[in-house]
Every structure is written in structure tokens, then in C-alpha cells.
Amino acid sequence: MEKLMDNPYAWLILSLCTIISFVFAIYTWIVGRKIKEISMDYFSNDIIKQGKNLIPKLDINFDGKTIEDLTATTFYIWNSGNDVINCEDVVEKNLKIKCKSEAVLDVQIIKQSDDSNNFSVDSFTATDINLVFDYMDGGEGVRLQVLHTGSSNDLSVACKIKGGRPIRNYTELKKNKGLSGFWRGCLNEFLPISIFLISVYGTIIVLQLLGIPYKGNVILVMIPSMVVMILILVLYLKIKKKIERALHRTIPNVLK
């Protein structure tokens, strides 16, 4: 026992086990906590810009007037938390899309995650769109198209959840990655390199503890190293997918 306690390799393995346990505890905390959060993202396509029609033979009029600027903006709005959001959880019981100028011409729901969500456009004016629903489970939401004049920057989604987080603008986060972009880079680039190093050096340390020297047994060391690396890599990919699924931080596939 004393020899084991004096062995630096034993302390290294113990430290690795402690780190893994700490990471696992953080993971279970992230997955287990209840979060109420709505995220939004949007994409815009200019149909007519400054009177220049992309399709010359197409004549577009609205309410008897020729349209000089026309943009189709597709909004994705979804529950990016892991707790159910009911309509009663939202202040005023609806989602609002506001426009700085009187630019909204029409709005249509293109797709929703499930028909039971019951998304519908309650009413809309040139400056406001009121969107109602029954509930959104984690990862569920709606895709809708807004036809409007002017810039898509004039449009914004307004929503306040009782006891929940402020609405998360995924479009702005993509423009200004900031700290989240740094951590995403670490997750996608640094961790796979760490997995490779842990697999190789961890196997060497274990074999040293078993009395098998690294020198002269390179093939014997590399074979278990590759096996360990594949197992850890598979575990890493599964955990990464589960975290992304738990947080629903990107547009749900069902809405794309």
C-alpha cells in the first residue's frame, strides 16, 4: 500500500479519475436542471430591392400600390430549454414580432414541430404580429415567413417567460461569437486532441504499472492505445450529442 501511495503513476491515474468525475458531475447538472428559454433565428431574402426586381417580368403590387422593396424573412422560434413552456408561462400569452417601421405585409406559418403545438397567427398589423400556441416541449417550435418592406433588422421577437430566461437571439450570437464561440472551439478542437494524448500516455502509464516497459514493446502499447482512444472518442461524441440535445441551442432539425 505504501509503495502504491509513493508511485507517481498511481497519483496521476487518481487525478484523472477525479477530473473525469468532476466533468461528469457538471454534465449531469447541466442535463438535470430545468430551463425555460425561447430562442429565435432568422434568414432573409430580398425579392425587390430599391425598385429592382430579380425577376423582371414579375410585377408585384400590394393594396393597389407597386412595391419598391420586398423582403421575405423566415423566422425560427423554438424552446431551447428542457422544460415545457405553456402559453400561460408567457406574459400576455403570445409571442410578438415587432417592426420599427410600418413594413409588415403578410405572415404565414410554414411549419411547426407538432400539430398539437397549435401555433397560429392571432393577428397582425403593419408593426406587430401576435403569435399564439398551446405549448412547446424542449426542442419544439415553429417556422414562419414574414413578407415586409425595408430591412430585416427592423424586425425583432419580443417575449417574456414567467420564471424563465430572456429570449435568446441566435442570429446575434452567430455574429458576435464571443466567449461562447471560444468554448465551442475548445469543445470541437481541443478535446479530441486531449483524447488522443490521454489514450496514448494513459496506456503507457498503465502498462508501466503492470511492469511492461514502453521501450521494445511499441506495438503492444499502440494497439491498446488505439482501442482506448476509440472508446473515449465514442463516449465523447455521445456526451456531446446529449448536451446539445439537452440544451437545444441550434435550430431543431424538424423545423429545417
Side-chain angles (χ1 to χ4, degrees):
M1 188 66 180
E2 291 182 0
K3 290 182 178 179
L4 184 62
M5 296 301 292
D6 292 334
N7 193 320
Y9 296 116
W11 280 106
L12 181 58
I13 292 176
L14 182 61
S15 300
L16 289 174
C17 291
T18 303
I19 294 171
I20 292 172
S21 300
F22 179 70
V23 172
F24 181 74
I26 294 176
Y27 163 72
T28 53
W29 175 73
I30 291 174
V31 174
R33 63 176 179 162
K34 294 295 183 181
I35 299 173
K36 288 189 177 184
E37 179 187 65
I38 291 178
S39 291
M40 60 80 65
D41 199 357
Y42 66 87
F43 302 92
S44 295
N45 292 307
D46 293 328
I47 300 173
I48 302 176
K49 195 68 175 176
Q50 295 179 346
K52 296 180 180 179
N53 197 334
L54 297 178
I55 307 174
K57 294 184 180 180
L58 181 64
D59 185 23
I60 299 179
N61 294 286
F62 183 80
D63 199 20
K65 298 179 181 179
T66 302
I67 301 296
E68 294 294 325
D69 289 279
L70 181 62
T71 302
T73 299
T74 302
F75 279 93
Y76 297 85
I77 302 171
W78 73 98
N79 180 356
S80 54
N82 56 7
D83 198 6
V84 179
I85 298 177
N86 297 298
C87 63
E88 294 81 7
D89 296 326
V90 180
V91 176
E92 297 183 14
K93 298 183 180 180
N94 60 30
L95 299 169
K96 289 184 179 293
I97 298 178
K98 294 182 174 293
C99 185
K100 294 178 183 178
S101 58
E102 296 183 359
V104 177
L105 302 178
D106 188 43
V107 56
Q108 296 290 333
I109 290 178
I110 307 299
K111 191 174 184 181
Q112 56 183 326
S113 301
D114 194 284
D115 290 338
S116 63
N117 296 141
N118 281 333
F119 280 96
S120 63
V121 178
D122 185 47
S123 62
F124 79 90
T125 64
T127 56
D128 291 284
I129 299 170
N130 292 318
L131 188 68
V132 295
F133 65 98
D134 283 350
Y135 78 98
M136 279 189 287
D137 210 341
E140 293 182 346
V142 65
R143 171 161 56 109
L144 65 154
Q145 185 183 70
V146 179
L147 291 178
H148 61 95
T149 59
S151 171
S152 59
N153 294 327
D154 292 339
L155 299 172
S156 62
V157 178
C159 170
K160 184 178 181 181
I161 306 172
K162 301 172 186 176
R165 295 181 174 181
I167 192 165
R168 181 174 177 272
N169 190 329
Y170 193 68
T171 304
E172 292 300 320
L173 289 176
K174 286 188 295 185
K175 291 178 182 177
N176 306 304
K177 291 184 177 180
L179 194 59
S180 62
F182 168 76
W183 288 114
R184 192 182 301 115
C186 288
L187 186 66
N188 294 331
E189 299 174 18
F190 177 72
L191 280 181
I193 297 174
S194 301
I195 289 172
F196 173 75
L197 295 176
I198 290 172
S199 302
V200 174
Y201 289 102
T203 305
I204 293 174
I205 291 170
V206 171
L207 292 176
Q208 290 281 1
L209 291 173
L210 295 175
I212 302 175
Y214 170 70
K215 294 181 179 179
N217 297 284
V218 177
I219 296 178
L220 181 63
V221 172
M222 292 307 297
I223 291 175
S225 295
M226 294 299 295
V227 173
V228 171
M229 182 176 66
I230 292 172
L231 290 175
I232 296 177
L233 189 60
V234 170
L235 181 63
Y236 156 73
L237 292 175
K238 283 186 172 294
I239 290 175
K240 182 182 175 184
K241 280 188 176 181
K242 284 187 176 182
I243 291 175
E244 290 176 349
R245 194 179 299 119
L247 297 178
H248 303 292
R249 291 298 187 176
T250 56
I251 299 172
N253 291 327
V254 70
L255 295 180
K256 293 181 180 178

